[in-house]
Amino acid sequence: VPTAGRVELRDVTFGYPGAERPVLDGVSFVAEPGQTTAIIGSTGAGKTTLLSLVSRQYDPQQGSVAIDGVSVSDLGRHEMASVVGLIPQKPYLFSGTIGSNLRFGRPEATDAELWEALRVAQGADFVREKTHGLDERVSQGGTNVSGGQRQRLCIARALVARPRVYLFDDSFSALDVATDARLREGLGEATAGATVIIVAQRVSTIRSADQILVMDGGAVVGRGTHDELLESNETYREIVES
Ligand code: DCP
Ligand code: MG
């Protein structure tokens, strides 16, 4: 299993254009290949913003974001798509077919690869039920795909692209606990060797992560395993007990 995709943020400070105060303030961490890094924190803490810097939707005002030692600002748009797979908090589809959506990051993927990704993403059943299967048309605001199905298609799309870094932004909170567990078990195999960063709300989702980052007010206020944080971090304890 090839391992690559080491993500390193160094002293990152970022504010949205026009805003007075930074949303991220002095954030540093390393996410290692073959490991899962979980990010937890209250709403507005800056979790989505953090992922948007790793996927280079924005550049930080200070500090650096690097993948395998290369600054993401030196990666082209196309290159970026094969390095980082972001599953957004508000998953979106492009107008087209289910198949063209799944192939977005790797046009040459075979149908068998799409079905395998759908199987892992717990989305194969509903696609199979569609009259036209992979050729079923979907639109950006389409109503023939539910929010949960959209999310699974976005997870499958990321798997098809086989990036070095996966960024899951709150992708599992809406799933029932059993589906969540099944999905993440399959994901563990499908993403083996890659760097996985998961923003989550449920403690059950992040319990087994190799590293958990606790965010509050745009800063990382704790890091460690579940047991370490329970022992040492008040903010984490509050989240776990809430
Ligand atoms: N913000 C902003 N402009 C944007 C997006 C966010 O000014 N385009 C602000 C809103 C918050 C802060 O940045 O004050 C952090 O927002 P995030 O979306 O990064 O916060 P989280 O992802 O942690 O919150 P949630 O758990 O609700 O998803
Ligand atoms: Mg968010």
Side-chain angles (χ1 to χ4, degrees):
V1 181
T3 60
R6 184 175 192 269
V7 175
E8 181 166 15
L9 271 72
R10 267 194 217 161
D11 210 14
V12 164
T13 296
F14 172 77
Y16 284 96
E20 273 176 33
R21 279 162 27 88
V23 170
L24 296 178
D25 199 359
V27 171
S28 300
F29 72 88
V30 173
E32 297 286 357
Q35 294 199 351
T36 296
T37 294
I39 302 176
I40 199 163
S42 55
T43 181
K47 305 180 296 294
T48 295
T49 304
L50 187 70
L51 298 191
S52 74
L53 297 183
V54 177
S55 56
R56 216 197 159 206
Q57 281 143 343
Y58 295 98
D59 287 324
Q61 277 93 21
Q62 279 175 50
S64 62
V65 180
I67 298 176
D68 291 328
V70 177
S71 168
V72 292
S73 58
D74 292 336
L75 296 172
R77 209 169 237 289
H78 191 75
E79 233 177 324
M80 198 65 197
S82 67
V83 175
V84 174
L86 170 68
I87 297 88
Q89 192 168 16
K90 293 200 184 77
Y92 57 88
L93 298 173
F94 309 103
S95 292
T97 63
I98 288 178
S100 66
N101 268 278
L102 295 180
R103 281 197 178 86
F104 183 76
R106 202 161 53 86
E108 69 276 19
T110 64
D111 278 8
E113 288 172 321
L114 303 193
W115 283 112
E116 172 57 16
L118 284 168
R119 187 188 64 78
V120 172
Q122 304 296 308
D125 286 349
F126 89 85
V127 175
R128 208 174 286 121
E129 279 164 18
K130 296 285 182 196
T131 320
H132 303 290
L134 291 172
D135 294 327
E136 185 84 11
R137 294 204 69 81
V138 292
S139 57
Q140 242 170 333
T143 50
N144 59 337
V145 180
S146 76
Q149 292 170 342
R150 199 180 298 256
Q151 201 144 39
R152 292 170 202 203
L153 290 177
C154 286
I155 292 170
R157 175 162 66 204
L159 290 171
V160 169
R162 295 192 202 134
R164 282 184 253 161
V165 180
Y166 289 88
L167 306 175
F168 293 98
D169 194 350
D170 209 7
S171 307
F172 313 116
S173 320
L175 301 171
D176 61 83
V177 172
T179 309
D180 180 8
R182 207 161 53 230
L183 199 156
R184 281 181 306 102
E185 193 183 312
L187 276 178
E189 275 174 48
T191 64
T195 302
V196 177
I197 301 181
I198 294 181
V199 169
Q201 292 182 20
R202 262 194 214 134
V203 174
S204 65
T205 309
I206 66 164
R207 239 196 150 87
S208 60
D210 299 288
Q211 163 182 239
I212 300 168
L213 306 175
V214 185
M215 286 193 72
D216 192 26
V220 176
V221 299
R223 73 188 74 205
T225 61
H226 175 75
D227 289 338
E228 288 164 357
L229 286 166
L230 270 188
E231 187 98 347
S232 67
N233 193 274
E234 186 61 29
T235 311
Y236 189 71
R237 270 200 297 269
E238 278 168 21
I239 292 169
V240 170
E241 281 157 16
S242 70

mmCIF file of all heavy atoms in Angstrom, residues 47-49 89 169 199, ligand 2:
data_model
loop_
_atom_site.group_PDB
_atom_site.id
_atom_site.type_symbol
_atom_site.label_atom_id
_atom_site.label_comp_id
_atom_site.label_asym_id
_atom_site.label_seq_id
_atom_site.Cartn_x
_atom_site.Cartn_y
_atom_site.Cartn_z
ATOM 1 N N LYS A 47 -13.639 24.726 11.496
ATOM 2 C CA LYS A 47 -13.301 23.408 10.960
ATOM 3 C C LYS A 47 -13.387 23.377 9.429
ATOM 4 O O LYS A 47 -12.465 22.924 8.750
ATOM 5 C CB LYS A 47 -14.228 22.351 11.582
ATOM 6 C CG LYS A 47 -14.208 22.353 13.114
ATOM 7 C CD LYS A 47 -15.129 21.312 13.707
ATOM 8 C CE LYS A 47 -16.602 21.508 13.416
ATOM 9 N NZ LYS A 47 -17.179 22.730 14.053
ATOM 10 N N THR A 48 -14.501 23.863 8.904
ATOM 11 C CA THR A 48 -14.667 23.886 7.444
ATOM 12 C C THR A 48 -13.628 24.808 6.814
ATOM 13 O O THR A 48 -13.047 24.497 5.767
ATOM 14 C CB THR A 48 -16.095 24.344 7.077
ATOM 15 O OG1 THR A 48 -17.014 23.352 7.556
ATOM 16 C CG2 THR A 48 -16.273 24.507 5.574
ATOM 17 N N THR A 49 -13.368 25.921 7.472
ATOM 18 C CA THR A 49 -12.368 26.862 6.969
ATOM 19 C C THR A 49 -11.005 26.189 6.872
ATOM 20 O O THR A 49 -10.290 26.346 5.870
ATOM 21 C CB THR A 49 -12.295 28.094 7.902
ATOM 22 O OG1 THR A 49 -13.595 28.676 8.001
ATOM 23 C CG2 THR A 49 -11.308 29.116 7.375
ATOM 24 N N GLN A 89 -19.208 19.719 3.381
ATOM 25 C CA GLN A 89 -20.285 19.670 4.373
ATOM 26 C C GLN A 89 -21.645 19.785 3.681
ATOM 27 O O GLN A 89 -22.597 19.136 4.074
ATOM 28 C CB GLN A 89 -20.091 20.822 5.364
ATOM 29 C CG GLN A 89 -20.954 20.738 6.598
ATOM 30 C CD GLN A 89 -20.509 21.727 7.671
ATOM 31 O OE1 GLN A 89 -19.760 22.675 7.400
ATOM 32 N NE2 GLN A 89 -20.966 21.508 8.891
ATOM 33 N N ASP A 169 -15.903 16.474 5.527
ATOM 34 C CA ASP A 169 -16.435 17.553 6.362
ATOM 35 C C ASP A 169 -17.822 17.193 6.864
ATOM 36 O O ASP A 169 -18.819 17.421 6.183
ATOM 37 C CB ASP A 169 -16.463 18.871 5.591
ATOM 38 C CG ASP A 169 -16.681 20.064 6.527
ATOM 39 O OD1 ASP A 169 -17.003 19.839 7.720
ATOM 40 O OD2 ASP A 169 -16.524 21.212 6.070
ATOM 41 N N VAL A 199 -13.839 15.751 9.881
ATOM 42 C CA VAL A 199 -14.528 16.649 10.799
ATOM 43 C C VAL A 199 -15.790 15.931 11.246
ATOM 44 O O VAL A 199 -16.532 15.415 10.404
ATOM 45 C CB VAL A 199 -14.899 17.990 10.116
ATOM 46 C CG1 VAL A 199 -15.851 18.801 10.977
ATOM 47 C CG2 VAL A 199 -13.627 18.779 9.798
HETATM 48 MG MG MG B 2 -18.342 23.419 9.036
#
